[in-house]
Amino acid sequence: MSQWLTWAKRIQALSQAGLTFTRDQYDRERYEELQEIAKEMFERHSDLSNEAISQLVHVQGYPTPKLDVRGVVFKGDRLLLVKERSDGLWTLPGGFCEVNRSPASNIIKEVEEEASLDVIPLRLLALFDMHEHPHPPLSEHYYKLFIECALIGDGEGAAGMETSDVGFFERDHLPELSLARNTLEQIHMCFDAHWQEDDWTTLFD
């Protein structure tokens, strides 16, 4: 990740926390100035739109990482992937966790919406900090949950509103991946966990 983006995110997080808890008007003005500095850094060193930067910088409440949940669904030794309309690349089905939904109910919803398949969540394979993995630089901080699910039925699935294709792939015949969503190492981890079903220990960081 670009060091500039790392600094900008840290400045933004500190200023957001300060604005959440301060009772002093002078401190509030200082934290607001720090937010503007972070905004300028994002403008100069990222490809985000002005609207996206403004939404990122001017956030209410204490800053915490967002949660992204990914469904790991196998048919035999083939792994389910979906093709994103946004970038034309392939990923595990998933997305942000929604308020008032558990991780399990989130992944059931995401797999149904993106692949038109019904699943039963079985176990948490990994909880990763995106900063610790070779994803492209991102403006926000994310944790990723990888949840293995059992497929209900034997359907091949169908694309949804956010996806243009669906497929089951072998480990040695993977399509081009959307690295902002999952890396090749993470996809290989899914295969390892599937093949080591009785001996797998949940990974983190």
Side-chain angles (χ1 to χ4, degrees):
M1 174 180 295
S2 166
Q3 188 62 54
W4 282 104
L5 289 179
T6 299
W7 288 333
K9 285 194 284 188
R10 186 59 182 155
I11 291 171
Q12 190 279 329
L14 290 171
S15 63
Q16 184 180 330
L19 287 170
T20 300
F21 294 111
T22 187
R23 297 291 185 268
D24 185 276
Q25 180 58 36
Y26 296 105
D27 282 343
R28 177 168 294 277
E29 291 175 0
R30 296 184 185 99
Y31 289 128
E32 288 173 347
E33 183 176 353
L34 284 173
Q35 279 195 334
E36 291 306 310
I37 292 172
K39 181 179 178 181
E40 291 180 17
M41 293 173 73
F42 282 124
E43 289 171 345
R44 289 176 179 267
H45 300 283
S46 78
D47 296 326
L48 294 173
S49 67
N50 289 336
E51 180 181 1
I53 291 173
S54 181
Q55 291 175 351
L56 173 64
V57 172
H58 300 115
V59 179
Q60 301 298 316
Y62 191 81
T64 62
K66 290 187 175 183
L67 284 177
D68 175 61
V69 63
R70 294 287 153 180
V72 179
V73 183
F74 280 91
K75 178 181 285 189
D77 285 337
R78 295 182 298 144
L79 176 64
L80 172 66
L81 297 175
V82 297
K83 190 175 185 179
E84 290 282 342
R85 293 186 186 273
S86 60
D87 61 10
L89 302 174
W90 293 80
T91 178
L92 297 168
F96 288 133
C97 287
E98 295 184 3
V99 174
N100 293 329
R101 284 186 178 273
S102 69
S105 64
N106 265 285
I107 202 55
I108 291 171
K109 177 185 75 69
E110 292 290 343
V111 174
E112 197 281 326
E113 289 180 350
E114 296 189 356
S116 302
L117 292 169
D118 295 323
V119 296
I120 299 173
L122 299 177
R123 56 178 178 157
L124 178 65
L125 301 183
L127 172 58
F128 288 149
D129 179 344
M130 290 187 71
H131 284 179
E132 302 298 323
H133 296 262
H135 295 279
L138 297 171
S139 59
E140 296 186 79
H141 193 173
Y142 302 95
Y143 288 168
K144 300 184 72 68
L145 288 75
F146 293 79
I147 299 177
E148 185 168 15
C149 304
L151 181 64
I152 300 175
D154 58 359
E156 291 295 325
M161 292 186 62
E162 298 179 1
T163 57
S164 61
D165 202 358
V166 174
F168 287 86
F169 297 89
E170 297 176 350
R171 179 175 180 142
D172 295 331
H173 296 89
L174 296 171
E176 187 175 1
L177 298 175
S178 178
L179 298 181
R181 296 174 174 85
N182 38 220
T183 67
L184 178 61
E185 292 80 7
Q186 291 164 356
I187 296 298
H188 285 173
M189 177 273 297
C190 296
F191 281 93
D192 292 340
H194 181 63
W195 293 338
Q196 301 172 25
E197 181 175 356
D198 296 331
D199 300 321
W200 186 257
T201 299
T202 302
L203 304 179
F204 61 93
D205 281 3

